Amino acid sequence: MSERLLAPFAGLRVAPEHADAVAAPPYDVLSVAEARAAAEGRPWSFLHVSRPEIDLPPETSDGAPALYRGAAAAFAQMIENGALIRDSAPRFYAYRMATEGRTQTGLVAAASLAAYEKSAIKRHESTRPPKVEDRARHIAALDAQTGPLFLIHRPVGELRRLIGAACEGPPLCRAVLDGTVTHTLWPIDEAERMEALAARFDAIGILYIADGHHRAAAAQMAAREMGSPSGRMLTVSFPADEVRILGYHRIVRGLNGLAPDAFLRAIGETLRCEPTDGPVEPAQPAQFGMYLEGRWYRLTAHDLTPARGSVVDRLDVSRLTHLVLAPILGIGDPRIDARIDFIGGGRGVDALAAAVDAGEASVAFSLHPISVDDLMAVADDSAILPPKTTWFEPKLADGLVSLPLP
């Protein structure tokens, strides 16, 4: 590879005294209503940049020019008022997220788009063109990439040592989101350490996108359309053994014409179905929770491996489709069927019961999370996971550091 896989950059970062006021969840984990509520009374929240629709009339259409003008204006105002400050020279940044006794520490860097195009930064998810175009226009309007990709790399002791050593000094900023997750950023600007980090990542050679496929595709589109010669995108890479994946659950509207008792009989012909006294968070693969008519059930597959050989077909999201969604509920392709929806594991299985009890769905299924090893195996096979398979927790914060375009 002719250029570094990961390189330092001169970031546009939050001023330490404004960190709590600015830091925000990623733009795509909140609905418009949730983003509007989260930004209420918080004029410096980065949601005004990442979700500019919260400051526009509800009838504003998707892709309207006013959205991007609003994002650019909010971004410029943050810079003008000193909430965001520019670093004068390229550097890496150590980034730590800490919550509930868990920590994960990664490296903020500018990743090579050439590496992404050559699959040295591997993907496992399809993207939707309208969402990619939206983020590409957002990047062009701001002249910066503000939403970092969440990458993972195979653990290397020397990398852990180099990044961890930076965390022993004073941080650049610290912010707490949702009252539970502390996000801390440290500078890495010693020339020798930056060179050692870049060289170690070059030696690894392969990174994996955990979260941010649309942001990667948008960075690629924006670079092409703007004629950017540098071809870089904003990333944070964590060692694979520190990240946590939660289950990504399913809710379904309607029972495909079946009465609840007939649906239960059909389920019992395919899986072992046992009623339980409380919510079911599957403790192992090939086990599911199901909530139907005010009651939880534990479902267990009789045969742990479907009669298919790929890594994807052996995952629980595929098992649920093969055993229940397609043959019983008539949902063959969860990507396009309007009857199915998805609830991330960060919301908890109680959110599944709440959706059914509120009449938003007829039945809900909780899933055991995919493993990081399976995710990397899927990416290594150049395969694509079913939609909404991975929910990484905690999420990165937007607004701590952005990548200005050259």
Side-chain angles (χ1 to χ4, degrees), residues 27-41:
Y27 81 99
D28 53 355
V29 302
L30 300 178
S31 68
V32 176
E34 289 170 334
R36 188 174 285 117
E40 182 71 28

Side-chain angles (χ1 to χ4, degrees), residues 105-172:
T105 307
L107 187 74
V108 183
S112 164
L113 270 173
Y116 171 71
E117 292 165 351
K118 295 173 183 176
S119 294
I121 298 176
K122 292 181 177 288
R123 62 203 93 176
H124 64 262
E125 193 177 282
S126 297
T127 55
R128 294 187 292 111
K131 192 173 177 181
V132 173
E133 183 178 351
D134 167 64
R135 286 300 101 177
R137 292 178 67 185
H138 190 269
I139 291 169
L142 271 58
D143 213 23
Q145 188 180 359
T146 61
L149 278 72
F150 186 144
L151 304 180
I152 54 179
H153 57 266
R154 297 192 183 278
V156 175
E158 180 64 8
L159 272 180
R160 204 187 308 266
R161 186 191 68 77
L162 286 167
I163 298 171
C167 302
E168 297 172 1
L172 291 170

Side-chain angles (χ1 to χ4, degrees), residues 27 45-46 87 108 115 117 125 129 144 167 176 207 244 293 299 301 308 314 353 356 358 360 364 369 371 378 386:
Y27 81 99
S45 170
F46 209 76
D87 281 331
V108 183
E117 292 165 351
E125 193 177 282
C167 302
V176 179
L207 302 174
R244 179 172 63 150
E293 290 203 309
L299 310 179
R308 294 171 170 81
R314 295 195 298 270
V356 174
E360 299 169 8
S371 72
V378 168

Side-chain angles (χ1 to χ4, degrees), residues 355-372:
V356 174
D357 291 342
E360 299 169 8
S362 304
V363 63
F365 301 94
S366 57
L367 282 77
H368 185 69
I370 183 178
S371 72
V372 177

Side-chain angles (χ1 to χ4, degrees), residues 74-215:
F75 196 52
Q77 188 175 34
M78 288 186 176
I79 297 170
E80 182 180 344
N81 286 273
L84 302 179
I85 54 180
R86 293 182 183 272
D87 281 331
S88 58
R91 57 174 31 159
F92 286 122
Y93 306 83
Y95 182 174
R96 176 170 290 164
M97 294 189 287
T99 179
E100 299 174 350
R102 292 177 54 91
T103 62
Q104 59 187 74
T105 307
L107 187 74
V108 183
S112 164
L113 270 173
Y116 171 71
E117 292 165 351
K118 295 173 183 176
S119 294
I121 298 176
K122 292 181 177 288
R123 62 203 93 176
H124 64 262
E125 193 177 282
S126 297
T127 55
R128 294 187 292 111
K131 192 173 177 181
V132 173
E133 183 178 351
D134 167 64
R135 286 300 101 177
R137 292 178 67 185
H138 190 269
I139 291 169
L142 271 58
D143 213 23
Q145 188 180 359
T146 61
L149 278 72
F150 186 144
L151 304 180
I152 54 179
H153 57 266
R154 297 192 183 278
V156 175
E158 180 64 8
L159 272 180
R160 204 187 308 266
R161 186 191 68 77
L162 286 167
I163 298 171
C167 302
E168 297 172 1
L172 291 170
C173 65
R174 180 175 286 117
V176 179
L177 280 181
D178 301 325
T180 58
V181 184
T182 301
H183 301 258
T184 311
L185 204 66
W186 288 269
I188 302 177
D189 43 22
E190 304 92 338
E192 186 176 336
R193 183 172 295 174
M194 289 194 292
E195 172 60 27
L197 284 166
R200 287 290 179 181
F201 275 102
D202 284 346
I204 290 175
I206 298 292
L207 302 174
Y208 299 84
I209 299 176
D211 199 2
H213 288 78
H214 287 89
R215 277 162 274 178

Side-chain angles (χ1 to χ4, degrees), residues 212-260:
H213 288 78
H214 287 89
R215 277 162 274 178
Q220 180 185 48
M221 177 182 287
R224 289 175 176 172
E225 293 182 352
M226 299 170 70
S228 172
S230 63
R232 294 264 169 196
M233 55 187 177
L234 179 65
T235 61
V236 188
S237 189
F238 295 95
D241 59 353
E242 292 186 13
V243 302
R244 179 172 63 150
I245 306 178
L246 303 182
Y248 218 135
H249 312 307
R250 274 73 174 129
I251 59 175
V252 178
R253 287 172 283 277
L255 298 178
N256 198 28
L258 296 172

Side-chain angles (χ1 to χ4, degrees), residues 253-314:
R253 287 172 283 277
L255 298 178
N256 198 28
L258 296 172
D261 57 346
F263 174 70
L264 274 175
R265 286 196 298 272
I267 288 284
E269 293 173 2
T270 306
L271 303 105
R272 186 164 65 250
C273 180
E274 305 166 294
T276 67
D277 294 330
V280 178
E281 297 190 48
Q284 61 190 45
Q287 188 179 93
F288 309 90
M290 181 177 74
Y291 187 77
L292 176 72
E293 290 203 309
R295 184 152 200 184
W296 280 97
Y297 299 82
R298 179 177 288 105
L299 310 179
T300 306
H302 299 296
D303 183 2
L304 298 188
T305 304
R308 294 171 170 81
S310 73
V311 176
V312 172
D313 283 321
R314 295 195 298 270

